[in-house]
Amino acid sequence: MEFLAGGRAEVRITRADVGKRVSVRRLTGGGAGVPAFTDAVGVLTSWDQGVLSITRRSGETVRIEETSLVAAKVVPDRPATARYGAAHPPSGEPARRRGPAATARELQTVAARGWPAVETARLGEWTLRASGGFTRRANSVLPLGDPGVPLETALEQIGQWYDERGLPPVIVVATGRADTDERLAAELAERGWTDERHTTVRIAALAPLADTGADAPGSAGGAPSRVTLSREPGADWLALYNRTGEADPSEEAARTALRVLTGGPSVWFATVHGADGGTAAIGRLVVDGRWAGFAALEVAPAARRQGLATLVMAALAERALEEGASAAYLQVEADNAGALAFYDRLGFTDHHGYHYRRALPGGRR
């Protein structure tokens, strides 16, 4: 990264830049085999008592002694980025073929509507969500804006609300964009809230995604001909999904999971059956205005490497286009290299990240 200005390095940030995205270089003080300098890029979340805290896109917070700074500057917010090999349609293409522009706040709001919790409560502009433990997304706090009370008070109220429901207090924290929550991530980390399940939100133009089905290995006769779409998940779909009773195998837990799965503005379930009649692949789509959200993409072990995942994505994308959507989003755990590579090939690019912060028993809230 470039720090030189007029032939010398400069520290061009001050405490007034807290909350901005910065790039810094610092001395390591290392010995043989250790680089003399190291760089960090992220949001400057605090600068107190001679120590800077920088929260990276991943949610990790780096603490840097002010005296070790060699160079620093404010940098622009990162655009959505493609991984190696991903193609971008030219800017002159119709909107349905261009990569979508969006804020993290827009995507967080749309994603929450597309995977709705069974029970919610408001704390200022924050939303507390509970769904009997079925998925972290439906059992965590969505902190969009101001909770309306000091953070310590908010955390106490959150802890009480989740304790009453037998659930751990969890807050989902977005990172990596101008309107995300690096400062909240740092404040929760200081209070001992552990980070887990780091996830990448990815976006793509919808029309090219619908076209991928024609090129899939198993697309003879066209993608939709092998993919059945329905408004409700059948027993065969649920059998391959196999997550509705992860935390609690009771009938009530299964009903709660179904309420989440079928919730959302316009939800579709895709199923592909194999030659033996068994369920070979599944997927879920929710259409909300211009956005098409994809989730629950699964392929049976015996049916993998036949292009079925691509067929499912293409069929769902085609249905979303018919309902007026133009942009696609999905969420992938950051350590799932296979899924990331697959979505790269479909044209998805990184938009922002998020992770969960969980209060440890006996820790500060």
Side-chain angles (χ1 to χ4, degrees):
M1 77 185 57
E2 183 58 59
F3 281 105
L4 297 181
R8 63 189 181 87
E10 293 182 343
V11 175
R12 289 181 278 168
I13 61 174
T14 69
R15 287 175 176 81
D17 294 314
V18 169
K20 297 179 182 178
R21 184 175 174 82
V22 300
S23 177
V24 304
R25 175 167 291 172
R26 58 172 168 162
L27 290 167
T28 63
V34 178
F37 305 99
T38 186
D39 299 329
V41 178
V43 173
L44 180 62
T45 48
S46 67
W47 190 337
D48 296 315
Q49 298 181 352
V51 178
L52 291 75
S53 292
I54 296 175
T55 303
R56 290 174 163 154
R57 181 184 177 91
S58 65
E60 174 194 7
T61 297
V62 180
R63 296 176 66 81
I64 299 173
E65 294 288 341
E66 181 180 322
T67 55
S68 71
L69 287 179
V70 174
K73 62 182 180 181
V74 175
V75 295
D77 183 43
R78 287 181 60 174
T81 55
R83 295 169 185 267
Y84 179 78
H88 291 286
S91 60
E93 290 281 343
R96 64 191 246 133
R97 290 191 173 273
R98 290 200 305 268
T103 64
R105 176 69 61 88
E106 178 185 359
L107 281 166
Q108 288 175 285
T109 302
V110 169
R113 287 198 299 261
W115 197 268
V118 171
E119 181 184 6
T120 62
R122 299 290 290 181
L123 179 59
E125 295 176 299
W126 291 15
T127 303
L128 284 60
R129 304 176 293 181
S131 302
F134 174 67
T135 72
R136 281 292 169 88
R137 276 181 282 172
N139 293 272
S140 56
V141 178
L142 183 63
L144 299 182
D146 188 341
V149 294
L151 181 59
E152 294 293 347
T153 303
L155 297 182
E156 289 176 5
Q157 294 182 19
I158 288 167
Q160 180 179 354
W161 195 83
Y162 281 97
D163 286 347
E164 291 171 353
R165 288 152 182 81
L167 297 169
V170 175
I171 301 175
V172 59
V173 182
T175 56
R177 303 287 287 191
D179 59 338
T180 49
D181 301 315
E182 280 81 357
R183 187 176 297 187
L184 176 60
E187 290 175 337
L188 292 175
E190 290 176 359
R191 290 165 172 79
W193 286 56
T194 186
D195 63 308
E196 53 194 26
R197 296 196 182 183
H198 288 256
T199 302
T200 300
V201 178
R202 313 199 76 195
I203 59 175
L206 191 60
L209 181 58
D211 294 341
T212 59
D215 300 324
S219 62
S225 66
R226 293 199 59 187
V227 182
T228 301
L229 301 183
S230 61
R231 286 295 196 179
E232 299 282 338
D236 50 354
W237 194 99
L238 292 169
L240 184 54
Y241 183 64
N242 196 31
R243 295 178 188 170
T244 57
E246 277 185 336
D248 181 353
S250 69
E251 290 185 9
E252 178 61 30
R255 286 193 293 270
T256 297
L258 279 174
R259 288 179 63 184
V260 175
L261 286 168
T262 57
S266 179
V267 181
W268 292 93
F269 296 89
T271 307
V272 177
H273 292 102
D276 61 355
T279 307
I282 61 170
R284 178 185 182 270
L285 165 74
V286 58
V287 182
D288 185 353
R290 71 178 179 126
W291 288 105
F294 295 82
L297 183 65
E298 300 279 354
V299 178
R304 290 174 184 167
R305 301 190 180 278
Q306 298 177 30
L308 298 185
T310 302
L311 285 179
V312 168
M313 291 291 292
L316 291 173
E318 185 171 324
R319 178 54 54 90
L321 285 172
E322 293 172 357
E323 295 196 2
S326 61
Y329 75 90
L330 49 77
Q331 296 132 316
V332 189
E333 291 197 3
D335 60 357
N336 191 338
L340 290 169
F342 170 70
Y343 294 122
D344 282 348
R345 294 193 293 272
L346 296 184
F348 281 87
T349 58
D350 293 348
H351 185 272
H352 69 276
Y354 70 82
H355 63 279
Y356 296 96
R357 290 279 171 176
R358 179 170 55 89
L360 296 177
R364 288 175 60 196
R365 289 185 181 172

